[in-house]
Amino acid sequence: MTEKVGAIGSSIPRRGALDRLTGASMFSADFRLENPLALRAVRSPHSHARVLRIDTEEASRMPGVARIFTARDIPGKNLTGIINKDRPLLVEDKVRFVGDPVALVAAETEEAAERAAGAVNVLYEVLPAVYDPADALANEAPLIHEKGNLLFRRRVVRGDAASAFSSCAVVVEETYRTSFLEHCYLEPDAGAGWVDADGTLVIIASTQNPHYDHSEVAALLGVEDGRIRIIQAATGGGFGSKLDLNMQGFIGLALYHLQRPVRCVYSREETFIATSKRHALIMEMKTGAGKDGRLHAMKCRILCDTGAYGSYGIAVASRAAVHAGGPYEIEHVDTEVLCVYTNNPVAGAMRGFGTPQVAFAHESQMDLLAEKLGMDPFEIRRRNALRVGSVTATGQKLEASVGIGECLDAIKESYEKARSARSDRGDSPFTCRGVGIGAMWYGIGNTGMQNPSTAQVEIDLDGAVTLYTGCADIGQGSTTVLAQIAAGTLGLAPDEIRMIVADTKLTTNAGATSASRQTYISGNAVRDAAAKLVDVLLTEAVDLMKVPKNSLAVEGGFVVYKGDTDRRIAFSKLAARARRKGIPLRWQGYFDPVTSPLNPDTGHGEPYATYAYACHLAEVTVDITTGEVTVDRVVAAHDVGRAIHPEGVVGQICGGVAMGVGFALMEEFKPGVTASFKDYHIPTANDMPEVVPLIVESSEPTGPFGAKGVGEPALIPTAPAVLNALSDALGKRIYHLPANLERVLEAANKRG
Amino acid sequence: MQDFEYLMPTNLDQAIGLLKKYENKAALIAGGTDVMVKIGKTRKAPDVLISLRRLSALRYIKKNGGYHIGALTTHRMLEQSTLVQSELSALHDAASQVGSVQIRNVGTLGGNICNAAPSADTAGPLLVLDATAVLEGPLGRRRVPLKEFFTGTYRTVRKPDEVLVEMEIPEDLGRYGSAYWKHTRRKAMELPLIGIAVALKLSQDNSQILDSRIALTVAAPTPIRAYPAEDFLKGKVIADDVLKEAGRIASSADCCTIRTSLRCEAWYREEIVRVFVPRMAKLAAERVKNR
């Protein structure tokens, strides 16, 4: 099969970019519906309380109110969750966090809905609440769910860590903490819906996973699959939070009962109170190395605060456990992660699934070990970096595409220059500079479980090709990349591929846009579908041209004879010929990465088919009298296997660095306190460092054209690199994120 | 959004007439960057909003027997004024750091002062520039020194039927330099955690402090002057230990009532006052030399 030059590895214009630029893109809140009702949830003001009575009478009589729903109105199963089903759409018995929805108002206007929501009378019996995951595990702790407050425990054990520490030349043991974070996507959650003439409930949504939404809404309503249709609208970012069922269920419930158009648009404040957060982690980590810097043993115990409901908590805990050691070979590992319910907001998926948190810990440990050994932080990483043939903590042997060494080598020159230049005291007597490295590995796809994708490629009698994919493009560019992969397989230009995307009536399941999986997994499904179509075309051509199949290739809408490219037959002719024979012109592709489940006791298994690797170098300037930190420059090397769309990779890296700077220095969601952007700080353009992206391509044999993924890896090394640079500057280390003004100043004041 | 009547007088007399007519049912709106946020947040609006937007005669920056800045002058106009930058530097520092360009394009100086937030960016600089507020009402004009203008958090001496028309700054700034520091958690789009404004008048050889004014925001219920710290500096030869002591005095209970809030702890705010009174004093002194 030939690769069309320009299709793969080329930064073609992004699909839909012009629409975004001109404002033509239709986001969920933009759909003009006929006389729609506005939906508004009534949310709990208590973090833990029994619901004794919900009185909707007075509110129902208010002007403009169409109906007020409670749990009793849910015809199907009132329990949602993608991994474990523990979260009611509307609470029936008790609320578990501030923001838990107890009722849903449908009214003629937003204002009427809001007023009625305020008038719904809920009688609560306040229960003792627990906000600390360690407290939540105590015997006398208030029970948040009947099964207990421990949602999940993941162990990963390799060798005998306990005895290996005694043979280590140096051992460091520290506790690291991170905070809850808000995703802060540009577009607050929104959706709309109507009932089609055939009775189908159509829901337009800002979502990362339309097929999950589909099955969840069908189950909530107790209706057949075919009665629901989810269409992903243009989506302004998600970062994990739009993997949950945020407003889709509300819309489905209202459509089911009222049979008229509805819309549900969250304010920014509602996204703050109602949607998931990044898990706050407490990580006790002990790491030991020999005199030569080789890591021998790592033991860690992690408490993962998942808040009121599971959401993606189990996935976060599992991934944190697998990745806790970092991209290094460690013979003896003993990791335990406990995922715990509390009465904090729901913590769910957020770019990296626990890996950004553990990377902060393992990369701090690397620098601490280097310091004790008198070794350069670069050198200790290079010595321990995973390579082909390495065995991971879960006992998986890495067969190919292990690019961490190449990533480290890529930043080496910048690192050495920065190190020798950093002794400059900067522009003022109050500042000092520091340089730090952060490295990471990240398994592509879900952890030790099936997570297939499908796609369909169809050729019509004119020879035009359409790709059908359920893959939600939330701004990361998957629609463009999948078109490139289809084009590359079919020998066409990417803009010749017509795309039908993320509509559960028209496209098959591609799984979630999460876990950095769409390029690798859906990309492979697209390639599989396209390859099947190519085979049909070649087979027809063999028949006509009387030459062996392996002497033929696809190019520019023709099958051509490689020996004499003037001998060619148009796709349209071949398609028509196949049709006459009754051969399908639409082909389904499928890919499920080869993984094996993790053993519940030891964590052994092959959780991912491939891993992405990265390291960042950060240069910072710190004002030691005020705690202000300026991140001057980040050099970011990412092994993506193969960059299908290099500008897309660069975009992910720059966005990841921005998010990483926020995670490192300023972002913190304080439950019960943080209400809006007024008190939640994300970096602005002025806070951004210069970013130098370096794309490393250690080709993945199982990837589409060698590609892996970069969405989450982009963010992961930044905070560790910034924190290491900070301690390089200060001579003091910060163990609690964010390293905000107060924490940096305190550390600066403790300097010798 | 809440319902309200929106009136747009085209001159000052009309505006004052409307204020008188609607009395406490009306409120003034200029750029709207505070008023609209408040309406959105509290879901409460006055019955009548009287917009000053069409009073374009109140948008000006003039030097003429003193400095005169019309109340409807936007932050962006201040930011882009070379006169403000070179002669009223602290005000330039402040105006250029309010919100974003979009906000600075609509937010006005008069609005910032009349909203009277403890964190008002332009308040500190205007205090150290010894500004006077010019108010006009049905009974005519009156002038109130800015240091007497703020009566509490979001409260001022302005009467309900008065309009702030101008900020006046005395002419003799020849040997003065001024600077403002807005301390924030990030580098744009922020309210100050604490604000420090300093103006110094230096002797001809730039060594002696002839006059000093220090103002703090978010350090008390209103923007304040730190008089004891100012007094300490007057007559002193400019030196690191002297400035450091002024910072210490400014951060002490003699000058301010710094508190812990959800946004920041008191100890940190005090520390920033200690650090930035000297730094802003030095910058102000630099600016005297460079004029």
Short mmCIF file of all heavy atoms in Angstrom, two decimals, chain A residues 357 616 675:
data_model
loop_
_atom_site.label_atom_id
_atom_site.label_comp_id
_atom_site.label_asym_id
_atom_site.label_seq_id
_atom_site.Cartn_x
_atom_site.Cartn_y
_atom_site.Cartn_z
N GLN A 357 -0.23 13.96 38.51
CA GLN A 357 0.02 14.02 39.93
C GLN A 357 1.22 13.14 40.31
O GLN A 357 2.12 13.57 41.02
CB GLN A 357 -1.23 13.56 40.72
CG GLN A 357 -2.45 14.48 40.58
CD GLN A 357 -3.43 14.04 39.51
OE1 GLN A 357 -3.03 13.75 38.38
NE2 GLN A 357 -4.71 14.01 39.83
N HIS A 616 10.30 17.46 29.67
CA HIS A 616 10.34 18.91 29.52
C HIS A 616 11.51 19.46 30.32
O HIS A 616 11.83 18.95 31.40
CB HIS A 616 9.05 19.56 30.05
CG HIS A 616 7.85 19.32 29.19
ND1 HIS A 616 6.65 19.96 29.40
CD2 HIS A 616 7.65 18.52 28.12
CE1 HIS A 616 5.76 19.56 28.50
NE2 HIS A 616 6.34 18.68 27.72
N ALA A 675 -15.72 29.57 43.39
CA ALA A 675 -17.03 29.64 42.75
C ALA A 675 -16.96 30.07 41.28
O ALA A 675 -17.89 29.82 40.53
CB ALA A 675 -17.93 30.60 43.51
#
